[in-house]
Amino acid sequence: MSDTQPSKPSISRRTLLTGAAAAAGIGALGATSYWLGGVNRVSHSFGKKVIVIGVDGMDPRLCRKLMSAGMMPNMKRMAAAGGFSNLGTSCPPQSPVAWANFINGAGPGSHGIFDFIHRHPHQQCAPFFSAAETIPGEGSIEIGDHQLQLDFWPFNHQPPETVLRRQGVPFWDFLDAQRISSVFYDLPSNYPPSPSEYGFHKCVCGMGTPDMLGSYGTYQFFSEDTPVEGLEEGGGKRSRVKFDGDSARITLVGPENSMLNRPQPVSIDIDVHRDPGSRTVLLEVQGQKIMLNAGEWSHWTKLDFALSTPRPLPTQHASGICRFYLQEAAPNFRLYVTPINVDPSAPAVQLSEPENFISDISNDLGLFYTTGFQEDHKARSNGVFDDDQFRRQATEVLEERLALFEYAVENYDDGLLFFYFSSSDLQSHMFWWDGDEDPNHPTRTSTEAASRYQYVKDLYQRLDGIIGDIYDRYGDKATIYVMSDHGFANFGRQFNVNSWLRDLGYLNPRECTSILTDCDWSRTRAYGMGINGLYLNLKGRERDGIVEPGEEQEKLTRQLIARLKGVRDYNGKQVIRNVYRSSEIYSGNATALAPDLIIGYARGYRASWETCLGELTPDVLLDNTSAWSADHCADALEVPGILCCNKPFTASDPSLVDIAPSILDDFGIATPITMTGRSIFRT
Amino acid sequence: MLANVISWLNSLANATLGLLLELVAWIPAWLSITIIGAVTGVLMLMVFKYTSHQSAIRHTRNQIKANLLGLSMFKDDLRVGLGMQGNLLKFAGRLLALSVVPMLVMIVPTCLVLSQLALWYQARPLVEGEKAIVTVQTSADPEAVQQIALAESPAYRVAKGPVRVPGKQMICWEIEALQPGRHQMQFTFGNDHIDKQLAIGSGLMPVSLVRPSLDWTDTLLHPSESPFGDTSPVQSIAIEYPERASWIYGSHTWLITWFLVSMVAAFAAKPLLNVNL
């Protein structure tokens, strides 16, 4: 080797060690900063992360407006990094249908949910909840006042069972099969929870979960001015309170004891004492004391319902929870009690998958709402709450959900995290009114309507803060989707489809008040049930069907579509934007219960309240005077949802059914053949 | 009469056991309950040793062993087998009878120890800002329920109430804890002053749930405060303290922990102290 040749740079042992130490230090620093994830806590795991924030009813028009005005800076920031778009909703755009589309990555033809309410055609329109149904038990042994169901040989009785009616394959099953964990909090359209085959899927049930009375939420209200005989109203029970001096006893109605020959609800007595001096009320509930001043909410209270059994079997117990709200102590005592929720710390029915998931959460967080509908819109609609009281209750729900969200984020490692917020939907139903679209609110002055609409805007800003927090925590370490199932529209006028059918002679007799009680099926060719569904009284399908399948069916269908599209309001406005044939828009194996026609209402209109359960009104078109002054059960094209993602996507018109394939795509799983959607990240 | 005796024993226990418990209160609660369980287990074993007829117990246990051995040896002989089973039953009964005296000796001190431990582990003190309901049960005197008042204090504030319920001779307040420490709540009835302990803080400290009436069970269960006399306008004062949540020393578990630790400690010390059980 020549001396003039430049010598190779030699690396001394010291340099090597120093370099290795520096590299290790930088690596450790990088790992630590990843582990710490900035100011807030983020997941330690290096595994793939996808976070989906489901914001029910978040509207793209309002979002864009607020983003442009700088009032939703976080969503704007995220949209700039990835994208923001309308998200095509389901047809009809009802939450159970829409969320089932999201779950299956396919339309209603795959999951079989077409409305909040379905009907049994073989029982001629007997309604039931579409997402879950309780099948009555069969067989029992009578022992005194009780009946005993023994589900083993030789008795083989069938106990009553609540079944999930959603069909098809939920997308988390594909993650589960690949050993990828997925956790869902408050997932709609999944009660009872579908099981996880490999144990990598966890879920807390959301919308569709009943209260202890088996309803979607029945509040109880006690006051001195309620009629003596009490009052049963949609979603609530009112009872009269009679004070003896300053004490009274009220009775809280609980779940039915189905072990009795004649099932009766189990009730709990509550002693009420009020002090005229301090204007404070003391409630004594099963040894617990609760003191309330007017305008005050109690904490969650546990209720133990003792279900009697045939002797010598021990008494069964079911634990429920409720909160009390004292509206007024005197002179008119008014006490609101929330629907009795299933106790999450000791659930009487399965509310999560795995079963102990919800009680583990409750061990950390305490008690919380478990019913699907948490904001008590029925109390507002029935006048038990005023706007402020409803807003306060809804805010309490949101605070509880935010604590759960924090728990969800703190306990998230990798895989899929889904969290659902209901506030944007139920507060919008009550407070939304877009004055630019229609300045005349049916019940409020323009100023009042604008002030209530501001509540919705404030809520959007609050939710934007939550989105910002999660985006700050994860940035590009996770794919973050913010999505809604549909948007919103004013609901000023209501259309009774059965009254319309009656007026045109499709539904008889003219005096009919409800298709469930006094309809003449031998002279009825079509009827409405649920919010957007219209059914033909088809021979061979419906128990008392008269419309011949084939030519007559086709002729009637054409006639109804044409006439429905031609419906005009008193001011000439088109009421129905479009009518869809289910045979044209649905495909799949689960179309047996689909309505024949789906009515897509124009903005400002919706099916009337009476329509939903088949009642008729003298007028076809009426003002909507309910506190529920906005809705989304219009034409699907009128109320798209939103999609905001921190990862750029290429799809120009994404739809709800595309989210599941996109999530699977993120995890490297090809779109399964059960799905009709496609990944938004692929052209 | 019995309540007065228990009350006197309580004062003794408060002055001795209470003081000893104060000494271990600074260590973590799981450790203190373990130490207390272990010490009481060994002490009970020693009491058992010196109050029982050890040689008779030894003899009876040997008889049981012999009969068990015989049972396995003569398992084919029904008559002998039945006889030995009868003997086993007899000696087991004798063993139980031999334990009666030490049990009787230990029952009172054990009850006193447990009621002292309950003060520390059955509930936790209020933390600052936390609220609790205070219930005063009055005598049948209608004036009492109308006139008893809760005095103000920098340690707490009355958040709600009072709610006076003449039908149940009951008055309730909701108080909010403000200042950590061991305080005395003061109730007034005319010129009379009535006290009730109040515990506020985040550490381990004795919590008296009830200042009881002159009833022997209540007096035994709530040893920290002297019971109200029969003629007192107040019959009891209760504070709804929160439960202590812990798998080891929580409201629903401390007794199980104490029992298990004391048993383990007693069995571990048995060969060392040469005790026949």
Side-chain angles (χ1 to χ4, degrees):
Chain A
M1 191 180 288
S2 161
D3 285 340
T4 56
Q5 209 173 2
S7 61
K8 281 184 182 174
S10 62
I11 302 169
S12 70
R13 195 172 165 218
R14 185 188 180 90
T15 312
L16 186 73
L17 286 173
T18 312
I26 291 165
L29 195 68
T32 309
S33 57
Y34 184 90
W35 190 84
L36 290 171
V39 180
N40 296 311
R41 188 266 187 200
V42 296
S43 165
H44 307 171
S45 165
F46 287 90
K48 177 77 191 164
K49 298 174 193 70
V50 175
I51 298 170
V52 181
I53 314 282
V55 194
D56 203 311
M58 188 168 254
D59 185 80
R61 296 182 193 205
L62 183 57
C63 276
R64 285 199 178 90
K65 213 179 272 183
L66 295 175
M67 281 158 74
S68 312
M71 291 159 82
M72 290 182 80
N74 295 304
M75 196 177 275
K76 192 173 180 179
R77 196 157 53 95
M78 212 168 103
F84 180 93
S85 167
N86 284 6
L87 186 66
T89 184
S90 58
C91 184
Q94 299 181 30
S95 293
V97 189
W99 286 110
N101 274 15
F102 162 73
I103 289 168
N104 278 17
S110 82
H111 53 70
I113 298 175
F114 304 96
D115 200 297
F116 271 101
I117 292 164
H118 282 177
R119 93 300 183 215
H120 282 297
H122 51 277
Q123 291 172 23
Q124 196 67 38
C125 80
F128 64 97
F129 288 124
S130 59
E133 189 183 10
T134 300
I135 313 287
E138 271 182 34
S140 62
I141 298 173
E142 286 197 10
I143 305 173
D145 294 341
H146 292 80
Q147 54 179 348
L148 202 59
Q149 288 192 309
L150 307 167
D151 58 355
F152 49 84
W153 184 87
F155 308 102
N156 297 328
H157 299 146
Q158 295 288 321
E161 189 188 9
T162 302
V163 292
L164 177 66
R165 298 298 305 237
R166 199 196 67 240
Q167 299 172 52
V169 188
F171 77 91
W172 56 78
D173 276 5
F174 300 103
L175 296 171
D176 198 32
Q178 297 291 321
R179 295 353 189 218
I180 297 167
S181 64
S182 61
V183 193
F184 294 76
Y185 292 86
D186 280 2
L187 179 69
S189 302
N190 192 43
Y191 174 82
S194 67
S196 167
E197 192 176 346
Y198 301 99
F200 287 83
H201 163 70
K202 287 182 175 180
C203 178
V204 176
C205 299
M207 184 195 296
T209 308
D211 63 5
M212 289 290 281
L213 275 62
S215 71
Y216 278 167
T218 302
Y219 62 82
Q220 298 183 52
F221 182 72
F222 303 90
S223 74
E224 290 177 275
D225 61 354
T226 299
V228 181
E229 64 277 12
L231 192 64
E232 295 268 347
E233 49 196 0
K237 291 174 195 285
R238 296 193 197 209
S239 304
R240 172 90 167 245
V241 183
K242 194 171 182 300
F243 276 87
D244 177 10
D246 285 311
S247 294
R249 176 164 287 183
I250 59 175
T251 302
L252 207 56
V253 178
E256 237 179 29
N257 183 358
S258 58
M259 281 179 284
L260 289 167
N261 288 336
R262 290 180 184 169
Q264 281 179 347
V266 183
S267 57
I268 289 174
D269 286 338
I270 300 175
D271 285 335
V272 182
H273 313 286
R274 64 180 171 193
D275 190 287
S278 63
R279 303 184 78 79
T280 301
V281 164
L282 172 72
L283 305 175
E284 289 187 281
V285 192
Q286 296 187 320
Q288 305 164 83
K289 291 191 179 85
I290 300 155
M291 286 179 86
L292 294 172
N293 285 331
E296 197 174 27
W297 281 88
S298 74
H299 293 294
W300 284 108
T301 304
K302 282 197 181 196
L303 304 167
D304 175 35
F305 294 99
L307 309 169
S308 67
T309 51
R311 285 181 181 177
L313 295 177
T315 302
Q316 299 288 302
H317 293 266
S319 183
I321 57 168
C322 71
R323 291 182 73 186
F324 300 91
Y325 174 58
L326 182 68
Q327 291 186 337
E328 192 179 329
N332 177 20
F333 175 83
R334 291 165 62 89
L335 179 74
Y336 162 88
V337 187
T338 61
I340 300 168
N341 284 236
V342 176
D343 178 357
S345 66
V349 292
Q350 187 176 352
L351 296 181
S352 64
E353 170 64 24
E355 204 164 352
N356 62 342
F357 183 38
I358 197 162
S359 45
D360 290 347
I361 297 170
S362 185
N363 282 342
D364 274 20
L365 292 184
L367 304 174
F368 49 82
Y369 275 101
T370 54
T371 50
F373 289 108
Q374 295 158 5
E375 291 85 356
D376 202 341
H377 57 92
K378 288 172 179 168
R380 175 65 195 97
S381 296
N382 293 332
V384 168
F385 283 161
D386 60 24
D387 279 345
D388 289 340
Q389 288 164 341
F390 171 74
R391 191 182 182 214
R392 188 170 160 198
Q393 190 263 340
T395 305
E396 299 249 2
V397 170
L398 179 60
E399 297 298 340
E400 227 178 48
R401 262 38 226 174
L402 289 177
L404 184 62
F405 181 65
E406 192 58 32
Y407 172 92
V409 175
E410 289 291 320
N411 288 278
Y412 171 60
D413 290 325
D414 56 28
L416 171 66
L417 169 67
F418 172 91
F419 199 94
Y420 169 85
F421 286 100
S422 61
S423 302
S424 40
D425 180 73
L426 285 160
Q427 291 205 39
S428 294
H429 276 300
M430 296 300 168
F431 298 139
W432 178 289
W433 190 265
D434 188 349
D436 294 341
E437 232 175 278
D438 183 355
N440 301 316
H441 191 283
T443 57
R444 292 180 179 136
T445 64
S446 299
T447 320
E448 277 174 349
S451 77
R452 303 299 185 272
Y453 195 31
Q454 186 58 43
Y455 294 165
V456 178
K457 293 173 186 170
D458 293 345
L459 178 65
Y460 272 45
Q461 285 186 266
R462 180 128 198 234
L463 292 168
D464 182 68
I466 296 158
I467 293 161
D469 176 54
I470 203 79
Y471 188 40
D472 287 342
R473 289 193 198 207
Y474 281 94
D476 57 2
K477 292 176 200 160
T479 307
I480 303 170
Y481 300 76
V482 179
M483 54 161 292
S484 66
D485 53 339
H486 52 69
F488 257 88
N490 293 350
F491 169 30
R493 296 275 287 166
Q494 45 177 336
F495 176 75
N496 189 316
V497 69
N498 285 316
S499 302
W500 178 81
L501 289 166
R502 175 204 61 201
D503 286 359
L504 295 178
Y506 294 110
L507 192 151
N508 285 293
R510 266 206 74 78
E511 305 75 38
C512 177
T513 56
S514 165
I515 61 168
L516 298 180
T517 54
D518 52 1
C519 183
D520 180 356
W521 292 108
S522 64
R523 293 193 293 138
T524 294
R525 291 192 287 160
Y527 63 94
M529 173 67 77
I531 304 176
N532 296 83
L534 193 149
Y535 300 85
L536 303 186
N537 190 20
L538 199 63
K539 204 170 185 177
R541 185 184 68 184
E542 250 72 6
R543 187 191 62 198
D544 303 323
I546 58 165
V547 177
E548 288 289 345
E551 198 179 324
E552 188 187 346
Q553 175 189 9
E554 178 58 24
K555 194 178 162 193
L556 179 61
T557 304
R558 282 172 190 270
Q559 207 174 65
L560 286 170
I561 292 173
R563 285 184 152 182
L564 280 166
K565 283 183 177 175
V567 175
R568 295 289 182 272
D569 204 351
Y570 68 95
N571 51 9
K573 274 191 181 174
Q574 187 171 353
V575 174
I576 292 161
R577 177 179 161 151
N578 210 344
V579 182
Y580 303 91
R581 287 170 184 252
S582 62
S583 56
E584 288 176 359
I585 59 168
Y586 298 148
S587 62
N589 301 323
T591 54
L593 292 175
D596 295 295
L597 297 175
I598 311 294
I599 302 172
Y601 292 94
R603 286 182 84 83
Y605 293 88
R606 202 204 75 177
S608 76
W609 293 102
E610 289 79 8
T611 293
C612 302
L613 284 175
E615 289 176 15
L616 285 81
T617 45
D619 293 326
V620 171
L621 277 155
L622 311 98
D623 275 339
N624 171 32
T625 53
S626 164
W628 182 282
S629 62
D631 212 293
H632 45 80
C633 299
D635 186 276
L637 298 173
E638 296 280 17
V639 283
I642 63 143
L643 174 65
C644 185
C645 185
N646 65 341
K647 184 174 162 184
F649 52 88
T650 50
S652 56
D653 56 344
S655 164
L656 268 173
V657 295
D658 299 330
I659 303 299
S662 309
I663 293 168
L664 295 184
D665 189 19
D666 236 346
F667 286 106
I669 300 170
T671 303
I673 52 165
T674 57
M675 296 184 180
T676 55
R678 74 230 184 291
S679 170
I680 58 170
F681 304 116
R682 291 175 191 268
T683 47
Chain B
M1 173 64 183
L2 184 56
N4 284 322
V5 173
I6 293 170
S7 179
W8 179 80
L9 288 171
N10 277 341
S11 338
L12 208 65
N14 288 334
T16 51
L17 296 170
L19 205 66
L20 288 170
L21 286 168
E22 294 276 358
L23 293 175
V24 291
W26 60 274
I27 59 173
W30 65 268
L31 188 58
S32 64
I33 187 90
T34 308
I35 292 171
I36 293 162
V39 170
T40 46
V42 173
L43 284 174
M44 284 194 295
L45 186 73
M46 289 169 71
V47 173
F48 189 88
K49 180 178 179 177
Y50 294 111
T51 55
S52 62
H53 195 327
Q54 284 288 294
S55 58
I57 290 174
R58 196 181 312 118
H59 174 74
T60 311
R61 291 187 72 84
N62 287 339
Q63 290 291 336
I64 289 173
K65 278 181 201 163
N67 278 281
L68 282 170
L69 193 64
L71 206 59
S72 61
M73 285 172 72
F74 300 102
K75 60 186 170 192
D76 297 331
D77 190 328
L78 185 65
R79 194 178 60 83
V80 175
L82 282 173
M84 287 184 171
Q85 280 184 10
N87 284 342
L88 277 174
L89 210 62
K90 185 177 80 182
F91 289 120
R94 182 182 289 178
L95 206 58
L96 212 61
L98 288 167
S99 307
V100 168
V101 173
M103 292 285 184
L104 286 174
V105 171
M106 277 191 289
I107 193 161
V108 173
T110 306
C111 285
L112 292 174
V113 168
L114 288 178
S115 62
Q116 287 293 323
L117 288 178
L119 286 173
W120 293 79
Y121 300 104
Q122 187 59 44
R124 67 165 174 80
L126 299 173
V127 292
E128 285 171 77
E130 197 166 24
K131 291 174 180 170
I133 290 181
V134 178
T135 305
V136 171
Q137 211 64 52
T138 69
S139 65
D141 178 5
E143 292 288 301
V145 77
Q146 293 301 340
Q147 289 183 15
I148 289 172
L150 173 59
E152 289 181 5
S153 160
Y156 60 85
R157 75 172 184 91
V158 175
K160 276 174 228 148
V163 175
R164 297 175 194 274
V165 188
K168 291 190 168 183
Q169 297 164 28
M170 178 175 82
I171 316 164
C172 292
W173 290 265
E174 187 175 272
I175 57 159
E176 183 183 343
L178 298 178
Q179 209 175 69
R182 299 179 195 186
H183 308 282
Q184 289 289 339
M185 299 179 78
Q186 216 168 58
F187 298 83
T188 56
F189 177 58
N191 293 325
D192 293 345
H193 292 268
I194 301 139
D195 290 338
K196 165 79 189 83
Q197 290 175 3
L198 172 67
I200 301 172
S202 51
L204 197 64
M205 65 170 82
V207 170
S208 171
L209 299 173
V210 179
R211 184 172 171 191
S213 59
L214 198 60
D215 170 87
W216 75 269
T217 47
D218 286 347
T219 310
L220 185 63
L221 289 171
H222 305 288
S224 183
E225 298 179 89
S226 58
F228 291 107
D230 287 335
T231 55
S232 167
V234 172
Q235 286 303 295
S236 70
I237 305 175
I239 300 175
E240 289 187 2
Y241 284 99
E243 287 183 348
R244 193 179 280 286
S246 163
W247 286 103
I248 300 170
Y249 56 90
S251 297
H252 304 286
T253 51
W254 72 266
L255 192 57
I256 298 165
T257 305
W258 174 84
F259 180 75
L260 290 176
V261 172
S262 60
M263 291 294 283
V264 169
F267 274 102
K270 192 178 89 138
L272 302 172
L273 296 172
N274 195 22
V275 184
N276 290 293
L277 291 173

